[in-house]
Amino acid sequence: MNMVKICRKFLTGNGNHMNKQLLIDTAKELLADDKGLLAIDESNNTCNKRFEIIGIPQTVEARRDWRELIITTPDLNECISGLILYDETIRQNGRKGLPIIKTILDAGIIPGIKVDIGAKSMALFPKEKITEGLDGLRERLNEYQNIGARFAKWRAMIRVGSGSPSQACIEANAHALARYAALCQEANIMPIVEAEVLMNGDHDLERCLEITKEFLRTIFNQLYRQAVMLEGLILKPNMVLPGLTCKKQETEAEVAYATVKCLLQSVPAAVPGIAFLSGGQSGKMASARLNAMNLIYKTKLPWALTFSFARAIQQPALKIWCGEDSNSDAAQKALYHRAKCNQAARLGQYDTGMESPILNLPEPVPI
Ligand code: 13P
């Protein structure tokens, strides 16, 4: 019996029996019918910052109303298979007193939960961050499962700068991600493994490719070491992009090529799906780049390429909503529109011509 098999025998720390088929099925369901995921799991702090910019009150009610607006968008489940929630939201009732989680289930969407507690300064590496949240995670996962979550998310992020990322930061984050994924699988909650190399900086596309590749290879090495079943997880990486202030900004086709090349060199074929984060790209840019990948490479890849965006789906709608009930319908239309564009991008059928119907909506306030 090899080491991995010996370890698997003890994967019963919470009394659960890991149900491999359930994990595989959850991943398959989330990836089916060319749908994608929508992340609405911003911490209160992050959500408040986005509200503050456009003058929305930073209150528990406003956060509830915004999330409820998203969740009740008509026909959202045509293109969104799963919603990633924040702790506040998963426990919340909507305006009329109905649990938010019930509204999501009634809409035919699978609820998930962000379980990390954020990226904190890494000791002795002041420029770098390590994601925390492993303490008590086994118990929290059981609680979230009882509330109704079927999958979870943990985000590790890497900053590109002079002298960073360090190997220590990459390894510490990869190790924590694998510990999180193992705890999730033990609890029969399908883990989304989020690995983000930030866009901030003037680094070029090639540097992003090298760092993303190193980060992903380190993560998969840790996942393997910690006996995580690759068929029962979804990877959520960044697209391979030049830094925001890099002079050379590659075309969609060049970004698609670099991203696919990076993934082929680092992600095992056993992984069923890759759901990109948007990382601060505009909604249109994120759709166009995902589209280019699927248009050019879809038939040659072992995994599905989909989306798990937050800003690239929410931001245009948030700017229309501005906290006003009278703007809710228009905001829902804008949200549905971005979700639909990304579904088209999964098929390689997105076209900028699809953007024209949105021109009938009220002009968003500047952000
Ligand atoms: P963005 O798509 O805005 O990058 O957010 C994705 C996410 O889930 C961040 O953790």
Side-chain angles (χ1 to χ4, degrees):
M1 205 184 284
N2 68 24
M3 273 308 287
V4 171
K5 278 191 183 146
I6 292 167
C7 295
R8 281 225 169 98
K9 280 181 69 171
F10 296 99
L11 265 179
T12 53
N14 65 349
N16 272 352
H17 183 71
M18 177 169 137
N19 182 338
K20 290 184 184 178
Q21 198 54 49
L22 186 64
L23 295 164
I24 292 169
D25 289 347
T26 304
K28 274 195 190 142
E29 233 182 291
L30 286 168
L31 296 165
D33 302 325
D34 300 300
K35 297 185 192 183
L37 291 110
L38 171 54
I40 55 167
D41 61 345
E42 298 83 5
S43 65
N44 290 347
N45 216 2
T46 303
C47 189
N48 288 346
K49 277 189 205 149
R50 293 190 186 149
F51 279 7
E52 193 180 2
I53 295 170
I54 42 182
I56 300 171
Q58 294 105 66
T59 61
V60 64
E61 291 79 18
R63 290 192 296 273
R64 178 204 62 198
D65 289 349
W66 173 235
R67 267 76 185 249
E68 199 173 17
L69 179 153
I70 293 173
I71 289 160
T72 56
T73 295
D75 302 322
L76 192 63
N77 78 329
E78 285 174 8
C79 22
I80 298 295
S81 55
L83 274 161
I84 313 174
L85 308 175
Y86 184 60
D87 182 79
E88 178 179 86
T89 318
I90 203 168
R91 303 171 188 281
Q92 232 165 10
N93 289 341
R95 263 196 199 186
K96 292 183 184 151
L98 206 64
I100 292 273
I101 193 95
K102 178 162 174 14
T103 309
I104 295 173
L105 292 167
D106 289 349
I109 296 178
I110 305 174
I113 180 76
K114 167 211 186 82
V115 298
D116 67 74
I117 58 166
K120 310 285 156 98
S121 290
M122 185 161 144
L124 307 184
F125 293 83
K127 283 194 281 184
E128 300 190 273
K129 303 268 189 205
I130 173 79
T131 302
E132 294 189 352
L134 288 169
D135 289 352
L137 183 55
R138 177 176 276 144
E139 292 72 27
R140 286 197 291 129
L141 286 169
N142 284 331
E143 192 195 354
Y144 287 135
Q145 191 172 49
N146 288 335
I147 299 176
R150 288 178 53 198
F151 69 99
K153 186 199 95 169
W154 175 291
R155 170 175 176 256
M157 61 97 152
I158 294 289
R159 208 175 277 281
V160 183
S162 70
S164 57
S166 64
Q167 198 58 32
C169 179
I170 287 178
E171 284 177 14
N173 272 297
H175 187 262
L177 261 174
R179 285 194 62 198
Y180 140 81
L183 281 160
C184 283
Q185 291 195 339
E186 178 192 76
N188 293 319
I189 290 186
M190 201 281 308
I192 293 186
V193 171
E194 180 171 2
E196 175 168 15
V197 175
L198 295 176
M199 284 164 71
N200 308 56
D202 61 359
H203 55 276
D204 61 13
L205 177 101
E206 195 56 35
R207 181 125 197 261
C208 180
L209 191 156
E210 287 310 315
I211 292 170
T212 305
K213 186 164 67 182
E214 174 66 18
F215 194 24
L216 293 178
R217 285 180 172 179
T218 311
I219 289 167
F220 280 102
N221 187 31
Q222 278 300 325
L223 291 169
Y224 171 68
R225 285 278 161 246
Q226 296 188 44
V228 174
M229 183 190 44
L230 300 185
E231 292 84 349
L233 64 81
I234 291 176
L235 177 70
K236 175 163 172 166
N238 51 285
M239 295 182 191
V240 172
L241 302 170
L244 279 173
T245 51
C246 178
K247 286 203 185 79
K248 185 166 181 220
Q249 293 289 321
E250 276 76 3
T251 63
E252 286 144 25
E254 286 165 333
V255 164
Y257 175 75
T259 305
V260 166
K261 177 176 162 188
C262 175
L263 295 171
L264 283 171
Q265 291 178 348
S266 51
V267 184
V271 172
I274 297 176
F276 292 102
L277 58 94
S278 59
Q281 303 174 71
S282 72
K284 290 179 191 172
M285 198 70 110
S287 300
R289 286 165 168 165
L290 177 63
N291 187 67
M293 285 182 233
N294 280 312
L295 180 66
I296 307 169
Y297 304 106
K298 187 180 170 78
T299 56
K300 304 180 186 75
L301 301 176
W303 357 259
L305 291 187
T306 186
F307 57 93
S308 177
F309 299 154
R311 281 164 289 180
I313 294 180
Q314 288 188 51
Q315 214 57 25
L318 182 64
K319 289 191 233 167
I320 291 169
W321 180 55
C322 277
E324 299 291 338
D325 281 348
S326 55
N327 296 333
S328 294
D329 286 352
Q332 286 186 327
K333 284 197 181 103
L335 190 97
Y336 175 81
H337 174 73
R338 284 260 56 85
K340 206 73 189 163
C341 286
N342 288 312
Q343 183 172 47
R346 264 204 75 170
L347 292 158
Q349 292 172 1
Y350 168 77
D351 185 277
T352 44
M354 282 182 75
E355 301 293 351
S356 47
I358 208 74
L359 299 178
N360 300 329
L361 295 170
E363 273 299 302
V365 297
I367 194 161

